[in-house]
Amino acid sequence: MNKIMNKNSRLHPLAFFVFLYNNLKRYLLFIIFLFFEIIGDRHSGLLLYGSLILLLIFSFIDALFRYIFFAYRFDENSLTIDSGVFVRHHEHIPFNKIQTIQHKQWFFLQPFGLESLSIETAGHNDGKAEAILPVIPLKISNFIEKLNQQSRLEDVSSEVVPQQAKNKKLIATIK
């Protein structure tokens, strides 16, 4: 798995369809309004058809750009997610700061061995996950989980060893 580390990785191509679905869900009310206006034939059809087609094209292009400009990489200590088209976002998440990792496997991702991963940290408090990897292979999510567990074990052992050393010094001074 070391070949996976320190290398920008892309999401699975099915992530494009997840992004497209989220865009269409976001504009659903507007699409329904345009659809009923077209069926009602109360206004010029050309303007409404054009608006609906432009909205669908915009949703498609937005989903494509989100997919193209989304990358993630990790090393021994952290996960970094780069996203955004015009405004680039770089989320750097140390593994020892991760509180929970939630795995969600939609029915259409199951045959491909893919899942969605939501990562929450203690410092993020708005009710949403700090980072979401929408469509990644199970082996990558298991690898991230393993790195998180190793980081927690190292933190615990680094806290225990100094405490044991302090206890030995205290016992030595008492004798």
Side-chain angles (χ1 to χ4, degrees), residues 127-149:
K128 296 190 318 188
E130 180 155 351
I132 297 175
L133 297 170
V135 181
I136 60 171
L138 288 173
K139 70 176 185 175
I140 299 294
S141 66
N142 291 337
F143 186 63
I144 291 172
E145 188 84 42
K146 186 175 112 179
L147 288 174
N148 180 34
Q149 289 173 355

Side-chain angles (χ1 to χ4, degrees), residues 12 14 104-116 135-138:
H12 191 274
L14 283 177
K104 188 186 302 181
Q105 192 172 35
W106 295 95
F107 69 93
F108 61 90
L109 296 177
Q110 213 166 17
F112 301 104
L114 303 169
E115 70 180 0
S116 174
V135 181
I136 60 171
L138 288 173

Side-chain angles (χ1 to χ4, degrees), residues 41-147:
D41 200 31
R42 288 180 250 164
H43 302 288
S44 169
L46 185 60
L47 178 64
L48 295 175
Y49 283 124
S51 299
L52 183 61
I53 289 171
L54 282 175
L55 182 63
L56 294 175
I57 289 172
F58 174 75
S59 294
F60 183 85
I61 291 172
D62 182 51
L64 183 64
F65 281 168
R66 284 179 191 236
Y67 171 72
I68 289 172
F69 289 103
F70 194 101
Y72 63 94
R73 68 184 168 281
F74 38 86
D75 56 21
E76 300 86 22
N77 302 320
S78 63
L79 169 70
T80 304
I81 298 174
D82 301 324
S83 62
V85 178
F86 297 111
V87 179
R88 297 291 291 166
H89 299 278
H90 304 283
E91 297 180 51
H92 183 78
I93 304 167
F95 287 121
N96 60 357
K97 301 293 183 198
I98 294 175
Q99 293 292 317
T100 59
I101 297 177
Q102 296 178 357
H103 304 264
K104 188 186 302 181
Q105 192 172 35
W106 295 95
F107 69 93
F108 61 90
L109 296 177
Q110 213 166 17
F112 301 104
L114 303 169
E115 70 180 0
S116 174
L117 200 68
S118 299
I119 300 171
E120 298 174 353
T121 62
H124 208 71
N125 59 5
D126 62 355
K128 296 190 318 188
E130 180 155 351
I132 297 175
L133 297 170
V135 181
I136 60 171
L138 288 173
K139 70 176 185 175
I140 299 294
S141 66
N142 291 337
F143 186 63
I144 291 172
E145 188 84 42
K146 186 175 112 179
L147 288 174

Side-chain angles (χ1 to χ4, degrees), residues 26-36 51-52 55:
R26 187 176 325 143
Y27 302 126
L28 183 65
L29 289 176
F30 191 61
I31 291 171
I32 290 172
F33 171 75
L34 286 174
F35 180 73
F36 282 117
S51 299
L52 183 61
L55 182 63

